[in-house]
Amino acid sequence: MRENPLMDAGGTAQTGTTGATTAAQWWERFFRYGPYGLLGLGSMVSAVTAGLIMSRSDVHVTVALVPVALVLQFWWGRVRPSVPARSRAAQFYFVARTLLAAVLTSCNPFFSMFAVLGYFDVGRLLPQRAIRAGLLVTAVIMAGAQSGSGLPPADLMNWVAFGVLFALHATLTMVFAQIGDREAEQTRAQVDTIAELESANARLEQAMAENAGLHAQLLVQAREAGVADERRRLAAEIHDTLAQGLTGIIAQLQVVTSIADTDPALARQHLDRAAALARHSLGEARRSVHDLVPAALEHDDLPGALKKTVTGWGERHGVRAEFTVTGTVEPLHDEIAATLLRIAEEALANAGRHAGASRVGITLSFMGDELTLDVRDDGCGFDPAALPPYGGAGGFGLGGMRARAERIAGTVEVETEPGRGTAVCARVPLVQHSR
């Protein structure tokens, strides 16, 4: 498994351009100062909530261990520049910090803010054979913090919640590791290919000196464009599948925690929904790695997949959701169908998170050589001018929807204002499925 940006922001994959060097510098600052900030933030929140969720012994343990964590971090900040990656000192630091974070998190779950560091720097600190173990240990701590009672879980329901959350965290870490392995293999193949091409160009330089430089430049640009496009695709797929699935699972488990003692039957229904969402997210993650069409389009056309998506979303959020098709339904190219399905999922996710709507309507219209998707809600609306600028990563919010549509020569328009609901309209060319 390679050291991807999740686990090693200072890896070799990020050098060579001004933008990448700047990103590496930012990651270096995070690894230098971030632990202090996260430990401080966790300590402040824990101090505020101590009277609610901490016993006297927990307070004493926390008061004793926070200075120890600070001393450990100060020591590591002093020795880190002079020791190689994955050295014994680095391994000692990771193990000691993880143990401290586990104990602190058992005293107050908000110290998971400090424990989450294990996801980011495990590749820098541990040897290759221990990376997955480090990720799984961090997943145990995070799942315990989110299960409602800390570690160990207090009752059967908390054990169930812990098991579901641990499975989710472990799945996510393994998926990220698999994605890292796949990208590493692609990078190595690309590097080997470029090395061979550079060798061939060197042999041709005697006869084509003026063309060799231009040829090498075009190769570099093509490689960068391919890598950037693949990263955007993976980022969009992870957001549209794993992140939204995680949000749904957390929402279901929060309901379980609140009603477990009063209505066990209803709690079981929500647990079943959480498990179904976890299985669905795992399947979508595997499909994202292999660049396959969304699972919803495997057995249904776009109208059928949209109808099931809208119905399921409405049931989960308790919102009246209606789906309508106009025009003559035609078979669509896979990329067109997948793009509109992802846009609809993102629009529904935004409505569920922000709109507070009581009614949502989705209309799919076949209009000759054009296909439109309209998503309307009667929620609170918003001021479009107040939105932050889109960063170009793909798959995130309105900017991500526009980026998806633009990749297939389409557009996305938004009509909204505070208190008047929101309407999202996506227009794309109607490209039929190739026979």
Side-chain angles (χ1 to χ4, degrees):
M1 182 178 70
R2 81 177 183 96
E3 300 166 321
N4 59 37
L6 174 67
M7 295 176 288
D8 186 0
T12 57
Q14 294 187 340
T15 61
T17 66
T18 302
T21 301
T22 302
Q25 292 173 347
W26 277 106
W27 275 105
E28 183 65 24
R29 293 174 185 172
F30 170 78
F31 288 121
R32 180 180 299 175
Y33 304 113
Y36 293 105
L38 293 175
L39 180 61
L41 181 60
S43 299
M44 287 189 295
V45 177
S46 297
V48 173
T49 60
L52 300 175
I53 59 177
M54 296 178 69
S55 65
R56 183 178 297 273
S57 60
D58 290 337
V59 173
H60 291 162
V61 171
T62 300
V63 171
L65 291 187
V66 168
V68 175
L70 283 173
V71 171
L72 175 68
Q73 196 60 45
F74 180 77
W75 167 79
W76 177 243
R78 294 290 301 272
V79 304
R80 183 172 64 92
S82 60
V83 298
R86 308 178 189 88
S87 64
R88 291 188 178 276
Q91 297 173 40
F92 168 79
Y93 165 69
F94 181 90
V95 172
R97 188 192 68 194
T98 301
L99 289 174
L100 287 171
V103 177
L104 289 171
T105 302
S106 68
C107 295
N108 191 309
F110 287 106
F111 275 109
S112 61
M113 301 175 189
F114 182 57
V116 78
L117 286 167
Y119 281 150
F120 291 90
D121 61 6
V122 63
R124 298 165 59 98
L125 302 175
L126 297 185
Q128 187 76 20
R129 63 181 180 277
I131 288 178
R132 281 183 169 81
L135 288 171
L136 290 176
V137 170
T138 304
V140 169
I141 299 173
M142 298 303 295
Q146 296 170 358
S147 64
S149 65
L151 289 174
D155 54 30
L156 177 60
M157 194 60 64
N158 290 121
W159 272 107
V160 173
F162 170 80
V164 173
L165 287 166
F166 173 72
L168 178 63
H169 278 278
T171 299
L172 289 175
T173 57
M174 294 303 102
V175 167
F176 287 139
Q178 186 176 357
I179 292 174
D181 291 340
R182 184 169 178 263
E183 287 188 348
E185 293 175 1
Q186 292 177 345
T187 300
R188 284 193 294 268
Q190 290 168 347
V191 169
D192 293 340
T193 301
I194 291 173
E196 294 175 2
L197 291 172
E198 288 177 345
S199 176
N201 288 337
R203 292 192 297 268
L204 292 173
E205 280 179 352
Q206 295 179 354
M208 306 175 61
E210 66 281 5
N211 293 331
L214 177 60
H215 185 56
Q217 182 180 0
L218 291 175
L219 285 174
V220 172
Q221 290 175 347
R223 174 183 177 274
E224 291 176 349
V227 171
D229 185 69
E230 177 67 6
R231 287 177 176 173
R232 284 193 296 269
R233 184 192 70 80
L234 287 172
E237 290 299 319
I238 289 171
H239 172 270
D240 292 341
T241 56
L242 298 181
Q244 292 183 10
L246 176 60
T247 301
I249 291 169
I250 291 174
Q252 297 296 329
L253 293 178
Q254 287 174 340
V255 175
V256 170
T257 303
S258 64
I259 66 173
D261 296 331
T262 59
D263 194 342
L266 183 57
R268 169 55 58 183
Q269 293 179 12
H270 285 282
L271 275 176
D272 291 340
R273 291 178 183 175
L277 282 172
R279 287 191 294 269
H280 178 75
S281 298
L282 176 59
E284 288 288 3
R286 289 171 174 166
R287 304 185 67 80
S288 297
V289 171
H290 296 290
D291 194 16
L292 301 177
V293 298
L297 294 172
E298 268 197 327
H299 306 294
D300 292 300
D301 57 5
L302 179 60
L306 282 173
K307 182 175 180 61
K308 291 181 179 179
T309 299
V310 173
T311 301
W313 181 90
E315 292 175 352
R316 289 194 303 272
H317 291 80
V319 176
R320 180 181 176 185
E322 300 176 346
F323 174 67
T324 306
V325 179
T326 65
T328 302
V329 176
E330 300 183 27
L332 299 174
H333 189 279
D334 290 344
E335 186 68 18
I336 300 295
T339 296
L340 287 180
L341 179 61
R342 292 305 191 205
I343 290 175
E345 290 173 342
E346 180 65 22
L348 288 172
N350 289 340
R353 287 193 297 264
H354 309 300
S358 62
R359 182 177 178 181
V360 173
I362 291 186
T363 302
L364 179 66
S365 302
F366 290 81
M367 301 186 298
D369 59 352
E370 188 177 64
L371 191 62
T372 65
L373 176 72
D374 296 290
V375 183
R376 307 170 307 282
D377 67 66
D378 61 356
C380 60
F382 60 92
D383 180 7
L387 288 177
Y390 176 58
F396 308 99
L398 297 176
M401 287 189 277
R402 289 193 175 99
R404 282 187 177 276
E406 289 171 359
R407 284 201 290 269
I408 57 173
T411 61
V412 170
E413 298 177 357
V414 180
E415 296 181 3
T416 183
E417 59 181 275
R420 300 297 296 274
T422 302
V424 177
C425 177
R427 297 177 178 271
V428 299
L430 198 160
V431 181
Q432 295 189 5
H433 190 280
S434 59
R435 294 180 173 85

